[in-house]
């Protein structure tokens, strides 16, 4: 059996926090995980091994309009934001991070009508940048100086949605929607419990 990707439940939060502590220098109090779970439960996903151990997670949220940070000083559109993504070192290079991200992104764009999803990544984190830029097709929106607590700069990266699907510029310069050529002329502005390992989940061999 392989790895299962499923929507997180409240019972998964301690394991998600522990995975975060093992993998990342940016850590959060448990109340922050609860806040995400209570507000945007469909954006939190976990990777689970055959023994029901959590080996990865994505923690994400939806940003509402704030009235003045968008283009030309107008309201910023509703958009998703990836708060945290982590996979145990023993389970990396298996497509788990990509699967987690895409599940959360589908909920943002397809169900919650977000216009784009954003995230921050350390400029020195070449592996993460490759995942976001090359595999998931995020582009650099800006560089935020001294974003992290240790003073390191962050890339502010974004992926645009159209009709609930991911839109990006391919290597050939053409606009594409989830890998297919996209015609800009027609552009329009598994839940499961954790008692016995999930049954409603996608799988990675």
């Amino acid at each position: 059996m392989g790895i299962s990707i499923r929507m997180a439940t409240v019972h998964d939060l301690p394991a998600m926090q522990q995975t975060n502590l093992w993998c990342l220098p940016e850590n959060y109090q448990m109340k922050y995980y609860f806040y995400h779970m209570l507000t945007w439960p469909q954006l939190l996903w976990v990777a689970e091994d055959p023994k029901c151990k959590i080996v990865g997670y994505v923690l994400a949220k939806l940003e509402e309009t704030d009235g003045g940070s968008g283009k030309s000083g107008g309201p910023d559109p509703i958009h998703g934001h990836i708060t945290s993504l982590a996979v145990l070192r023993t389970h990396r290079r298996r497509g788990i991070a990509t699967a987690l991200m895409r599940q959360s992104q589908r909920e943002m764009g397809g169900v919650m009508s977000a216009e784009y999803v954003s995230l921050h990544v350390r400029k020195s984190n070449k592996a993460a940048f490759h995942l976001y830029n090359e595999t998931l097709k995020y582009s650099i929106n800006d560089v935020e100086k001294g974003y992290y607590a240790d003073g390191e700069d962050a890339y502010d990266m974004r992926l645009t949605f159209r009709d609930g699907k991911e839109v990006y510029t391919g290597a050939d310069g053409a606009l594409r929607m989830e890998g297919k050529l996209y015609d800009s002329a027609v552009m329009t502005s598994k839940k499961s419990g954790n008692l016995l390992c999930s049954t409603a989940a996608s799988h990675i061999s």
Side-chain angles (χ1 to χ4, degrees), residues 7 21 25 51 56 63 158 172:
M7 199 175 290
L21 291 170
K51 295 183 178 180
E63 300 279 11
R158 294 186 180 184
D172 58 359

PDB file of all heavy atoms in Angstrom, residues 7 21 25 51 56 63 158 172:
ATOM      1  N   MET A   7      -8.425  14.808   3.366  1.00  0.00           N
ATOM      2  CA  MET A   7      -8.701  16.025   4.095  1.00  0.00           C
ATOM      3  C   MET A   7      -8.435  15.795   5.583  1.00  0.00           C
ATOM      4  O   MET A   7      -8.755  14.741   6.125  1.00  0.00           O
ATOM      5  CB  MET A   7     -10.157  16.457   3.864  1.00  0.00           C
ATOM      6  CG  MET A   7     -10.428  17.919   4.180  1.00  0.00           C
ATOM      7  SD  MET A   7     -12.133  18.405   3.759  1.00  0.00           S
ATOM      8  CE  MET A   7     -12.036  18.362   1.955  1.00  0.00           C
ATOM      9  N   LEU A  21       7.238  20.836  13.441  1.00  0.00           N
ATOM     10  CA  LEU A  21       8.391  21.033  14.322  1.00  0.00           C
ATOM     11  C   LEU A  21       9.607  20.251  13.830  1.00  0.00           C
ATOM     12  O   LEU A  21      10.747  20.718  13.950  1.00  0.00           O
ATOM     13  CB  LEU A  21       8.036  20.601  15.749  1.00  0.00           C
ATOM     14  CG  LEU A  21       7.022  21.481  16.484  1.00  0.00           C
ATOM     15  CD1 LEU A  21       6.580  20.819  17.781  1.00  0.00           C
ATOM     16  CD2 LEU A  21       7.604  22.855  16.770  1.00  0.00           C
ATOM     17  N   PRO A  25      11.615  25.605  10.381  1.00  0.00           N
ATOM     18  CA  PRO A  25      11.964  26.539  11.451  1.00  0.00           C
ATOM     19  C   PRO A  25      10.811  27.476  11.819  1.00  0.00           C
ATOM     20  O   PRO A  25      10.846  28.114  12.869  1.00  0.00           O
ATOM     21  CB  PRO A  25      13.142  27.329  10.865  1.00  0.00           C
ATOM     22  CG  PRO A  25      12.901  27.299   9.387  1.00  0.00           C
ATOM     23  CD  PRO A  25      12.281  25.945   9.102  1.00  0.00           C
ATOM     24  N   LYS A  51       0.194   2.757   8.095  1.00  0.00           N
ATOM     25  CA  LYS A  51       0.028   2.547   9.534  1.00  0.00           C
ATOM     26  C   LYS A  51      -0.672   3.725  10.206  1.00  0.00           C
ATOM     27  O   LYS A  51      -0.641   3.869  11.424  1.00  0.00           O
ATOM     28  CB  LYS A  51       1.388   2.304  10.186  1.00  0.00           C
ATOM     29  CG  LYS A  51       2.063   1.022   9.713  1.00  0.00           C
ATOM     30  CD  LYS A  51       3.377   0.789  10.436  1.00  0.00           C
ATOM     31  CE  LYS A  51       4.021  -0.521   9.975  1.00  0.00           C
ATOM     32  NZ  LYS A  51       5.314  -0.764  10.683  1.00  0.00           N
ATOM     33  N   GLY A  56       2.973  14.067   6.185  1.00  0.00           N
ATOM     34  CA  GLY A  56       3.015  15.363   5.522  1.00  0.00           C
ATOM     35  C   GLY A  56       1.686  16.065   5.660  1.00  0.00           C
ATOM     36  O   GLY A  56       0.665  15.443   5.985  1.00  0.00           O
ATOM     37  N   GLU A  63      -7.973  34.356   2.097  1.00  0.00           N
ATOM     38  CA  GLU A  63      -7.882  35.765   2.457  1.00  0.00           C
ATOM     39  C   GLU A  63      -9.052  36.501   1.836  1.00  0.00           C
ATOM     40  O   GLU A  63      -9.253  36.457   0.619  1.00  0.00           O
ATOM     41  CB  GLU A  63      -6.570  36.363   1.934  1.00  0.00           C
ATOM     42  CG  GLU A  63      -5.315  35.689   2.477  1.00  0.00           C
ATOM     43  CD  GLU A  63      -4.931  36.176   3.856  1.00  0.00           C
ATOM     44  OE1 GLU A  63      -5.756  36.891   4.485  1.00  0.00           O
ATOM     45  OE2 GLU A  63      -3.825  35.855   4.300  1.00  0.00           O
ATOM     46  N   ARG A 158       2.837  33.462  -6.597  1.00  0.00           N
ATOM     47  CA  ARG A 158       1.400  33.344  -6.849  1.00  0.00           C
ATOM     48  C   ARG A 158       1.105  32.392  -8.008  1.00  0.00           C
ATOM     49  O   ARG A 158       1.897  32.253  -8.932  1.00  0.00           O
ATOM     50  CB  ARG A 158       0.790  34.718  -7.175  1.00  0.00           C
ATOM     51  CG  ARG A 158       0.838  35.681  -6.004  1.00  0.00           C
ATOM     52  CD  ARG A 158       0.096  36.971  -6.324  1.00  0.00           C
ATOM     53  NE  ARG A 158       0.143  37.889  -5.200  1.00  0.00           N
ATOM     54  CZ  ARG A 158      -0.489  39.058  -5.159  1.00  0.00           C
ATOM     55  NH1 ARG A 158      -1.218  39.449  -6.207  1.00  0.00           N
ATOM     56  NH2 ARG A 158      -0.397  39.829  -4.090  1.00  0.00           N
ATOM     57  N   ASP A 172       6.944  27.941 -23.209  1.00  0.00           N
ATOM     58  CA  ASP A 172       6.854  28.480 -24.569  1.00  0.00           C
ATOM     59  C   ASP A 172       6.216  29.857 -24.614  1.00  0.00           C
ATOM     60  O   ASP A 172       6.006  30.420 -25.673  1.00  0.00           O
ATOM     61  CB  ASP A 172       6.063  27.518 -25.464  1.00  0.00           C
ATOM     62  CG  ASP A 172       4.654  27.246 -24.929  1.00  0.00           C
ATOM     63  OD1 ASP A 172       4.314  27.797 -23.856  1.00  0.00           O
ATOM     64  OD2 ASP A 172       3.919  26.484 -25.573  1.00  0.00           O
TER      65      ASP A 172
END
